[in-house]
Amino acid sequence: MSDALRLVDAHHHVWNLDHRPQPWLDEAGHEPIRRTFGLDDLRSTATRLIAGRQLTSTVVVQCVTSVVETRELLALADENPLIGAVVGWADLTSPAIGDVLDELRAGPGGAYLRAVRHIVQSESDPEWLQRPAVERGLRAVQERGLGYDVLIRSHQLSQAIRLAERLPDLPLVLDHAGKPSIVRHDLADWEQNVRLLAGHPQVRCKVSGLVTEADHEKWTIADIRPVWDVLLSSFGPERLMFGSDWPVCVLAGGWNRWAATVEVLLSGCSAIETDAVLADTATTFYGLISAADGRTAPCS
């Protein structure tokens, strides 16, 4: 397959409930995904082509606040060529954060650690990303050439804006477009803040996780399109990346239905713009191996 036909899923998860509990799955409504999901499940599920492309590479993302889970994901990436990068977890507030990151990168599969993430959406402190200890930890992330995945809800976008202002050299990617309230059709504040965040050139955005912010049973492309239009006009295709949020997306239609939706959304884009959203942005941000030259691109 030529490099131009790559398809990168920039956001998915795996978990084995026999090996590691996922307490968040105990919440009501998660029954359909309250089981083990592995890479073989993804391979057998992700069969829908997008713009003639089949899945060629993925970014696997942490689920729980556990360095042990991050080690497991790195080892999994080391053994599976489908995984091109890992977004792991480490305690950003710890004075030892730098040592922990160095240890992870020195271990099995450590070269696949390209970013870290914290579940800020669960933090009640409206200034969590501005805590001095957190900022110190993020500077350690930056110093190691890693990026940071920003997992927040729409009401927390102001934290991300301030983070982008204070750390202009830290590569940031907004997970799930900041979780706009699609189900309530309440996008005004989200749009204003997303446009402010997009004004910072070091920020990228994942076109992912949107269907689970809509009505799980009744959503249509018409519900998603207003969000897509804001993202496309704010970030431009060169700063957007496709992600499935599989298997969480199973709650609202699954990988293939989301892939079909993204193809429709991209129908007005040029070939170069489509390449950006489906492969190039994620490849550059996460330093994925390029099929064209076999080199690892730097995080930017």
Side-chain angles (χ1 to χ4, degrees):
M1 178 172 292
S2 71
D3 192 54
L5 292 179
R6 290 174 299 134
L7 173 58
V8 176
D9 184 342
H11 196 105
H12 79 92
H13 307 283
V14 294
W15 58 74
N16 185 334
L17 296 186
D18 292 330
H19 181 62
R20 182 171 305 287
Q22 300 285 327
W24 63 278
L25 288 178
D26 295 335
E27 298 174 9
H30 288 154
E31 292 83 359
I33 58 173
R34 198 174 292 157
R35 66 173 180 84
T36 293
F37 288 90
L39 270 185
D40 287 341
D41 296 298
L42 176 60
R43 288 189 183 97
S44 63
T45 296
T47 57
R48 177 66 160 78
L49 303 184
I50 308 180
R53 306 150 189 262
Q54 66 184 35
L55 185 63
T56 55
S57 186
T58 74
V59 178
V60 66
V61 180
Q62 62 85 222
C63 290
V64 293
T65 53
S66 166
V67 172
V68 176
E69 183 205 41
T70 298
R71 291 194 189 102
E72 293 167 352
L73 295 178
L74 292 171
L76 184 67
D78 206 28
E79 299 169 356
N80 291 272
L82 182 64
I83 300 176
V86 172
V87 178
W89 181 87
D91 184 359
L92 292 171
T93 68
S94 170
I97 178 66
D99 293 336
V100 171
L101 293 173
D102 292 342
E103 181 269 330
L104 287 169
R105 297 206 299 170
Y112 290 92
L113 182 66
R114 306 296 166 79
V116 298
R117 185 175 86 150
H118 182 75
I119 306 174
V120 181
Q121 67 177 22
S122 297
E123 297 287 350
S124 59
D125 182 359
E127 304 290 332
W128 194 87
L129 281 172
Q130 276 66 60
R131 289 182 178 181
V134 173
E135 184 171 313
R136 183 190 62 232
L138 287 171
R139 290 188 184 278
V141 170
Q142 174 186 315
E143 289 165 0
R144 285 155 179 80
L146 301 174
Y148 181 64
D149 269 50
V150 183
L151 178 61
I152 54 176
R153 300 192 184 278
S154 58
H155 70 275
Q156 298 169 308
L157 275 164
S158 59
Q159 289 193 56
I161 295 167
R162 292 195 297 274
L163 174 62
E165 292 170 347
R166 290 181 62 81
L167 297 180
D169 296 322
L170 174 64
L172 301 173
V173 60
L174 180 64
D175 284 0
H176 313 323
K179 296 198 168 185
S181 183
I182 299 172
V183 70
R184 294 197 299 271
H185 303 284
D186 182 12
L187 301 178
D189 289 345
W190 167 84
E191 177 179 351
Q192 180 181 21
N193 284 316
V194 159
R195 292 191 185 280
L196 289 172
L197 183 61
H200 297 274
Q202 79 273 30
V203 183
R204 306 293 183 265
C205 180
K206 290 185 184 179
V207 185
S208 63
L210 301 182
V211 294
T212 46
E213 300 304 314
D215 186 306
H216 291 186
E217 302 296 330
K218 298 179 181 179
W219 71 268
T220 67
I221 293 175
D223 295 314
I224 307 300
R225 189 176 293 281
V227 173
W228 165 255
D229 289 344
V230 169
L231 297 178
L232 188 62
S233 63
S234 300
F235 288 95
E238 70 281 358
R239 291 200 286 152
L240 296 177
M241 59 181 83
F242 161 75
S244 69
D245 197 26
W246 180 90
V248 181
C249 66
V250 170
L251 298 173
W255 201 98
N256 289 327
R257 186 179 174 195
W258 176 235
T261 300
V262 170
E263 183 167 47
V264 173
L265 294 173
L266 286 168
S267 60
C269 292
S270 69
I272 291 175
E273 292 169 338
T274 298
D275 287 342
V277 177
L278 296 183
D280 293 347
T281 303
T283 295
T284 301
F285 186 90
Y286 287 114
L288 304 182
I289 299 298
S290 168
D293 57 18
R295 291 182 290 108
T296 303
C299 191
S300 63

